[in-house]
Amino acid sequence: MYCRHCGKDVGNAAWCPYCGAKQQPDEQNAQTNGSYQTSTDSQNAWGEQINLSSPPRTNIFAIVGLILAFFSSLLGLIFSIIGLAKAREYGSGKGLAIAGIVVSIFSIVFSIIATLLWLPQLQQALAEMGYRL
C-alpha cells in the first residue's frame, strides 16, 4: 500500500511513517498505484493544508547553513537557525539545519579555546620580535 500524501510504500500501516498521514483502505490506494493523489489540495499530519499538485520545496537555508558552517561559523549558525525555523514550512531540511547548528557551535567553541591557548605564545613571539602589546 502506498501513502496517499507522499506516495511512499507504507505496507499495511494505518499511518504513514514518512509524512504521518492517516491511510485509507486498500481499495482507494490501489487506484493511485503509488503516485500522488489527483486532488490539488489535502491535509498533512499536522492538519495544515498542502498543495499536492506542486513539487515539495527545498529548504535552501538549511543547505546553505550547513555549507557555511565549515567556512564561516557565524553565518552558518545564522542560516542554520533560519533553516530550522523554516523546516516545517518547507517540509524538509530539519536534519541539515541541526547539523549546521552543531558544526557552527563546535567551530566557534574550538576557535575560542584555540585563541585562548595560543594567545600567550603569540604575545611572547611578538615581544621577541620587538613589538609591544
Side-chain angles (χ1 to χ4, degrees), residues 9-28:
D9 186 16
V10 295
N12 291 326
W15 296 88
C16 177
Y18 302 101
C19 70
K22 185 174 182 180
Q23 300 303 301
Q24 297 294 328
D26 266 344
E27 298 94 32
Q28 187 176 2

Side-chain angles (χ1 to χ4, degrees), residues 1 10 14-16 19 21-22 26 33 44 58-59 64 66-68 78 85 90 94-95 104 106 111 115 118 130:
M1 180 165 76
V10 295
W15 296 88
C16 177
C19 70
K22 185 174 182 180
D26 266 344
N33 195 18
N44 64 9
T58 304
N59 191 344
V64 171
L66 180 60
I67 293 170
L68 284 176
I78 291 169
Y90 287 106
K94 184 177 181 181
S104 294
F106 176 78
S111 298
T115 302
W118 293 327

Side-chain angles (χ1 to χ4, degrees), residues 22-89:
K22 185 174 182 180
Q23 300 303 301
Q24 297 294 328
D26 266 344
E27 298 94 32
Q28 187 176 2
N29 266 339
Q31 295 172 0
T32 62
N33 195 18
S35 62
Y36 287 105
Q37 187 174 340
T38 56
S39 68
T40 58
D41 62 334
S42 188
Q43 289 185 343
N44 64 9
W46 298 279
E48 300 167 336
Q49 286 297 113
I50 55 173
N51 187 354
L52 296 176
S53 63
S54 64
R57 294 170 41 194
T58 304
N59 191 344
I60 298 296
F61 289 103
I63 296 169
V64 171
L66 180 60
I67 293 170
L68 284 176
F70 291 101
F71 301 105
S72 174
S73 302
L74 187 58
L75 284 176
L77 183 63
I78 291 169
F79 274 86
S80 293
I81 289 172
I82 294 170
L84 184 60
K86 292 191 172 275
R88 192 172 202 185
E89 175 187 337

Side-chain angles (χ1 to χ4, degrees), residues 105-121:
I105 290 174
F106 176 78
S107 179
I108 290 170
V109 169
F110 178 77
S111 298
I112 291 171
I113 291 173
T115 302
L116 292 175
L117 290 176
W118 293 327
L119 191 59
Q121 287 85 6

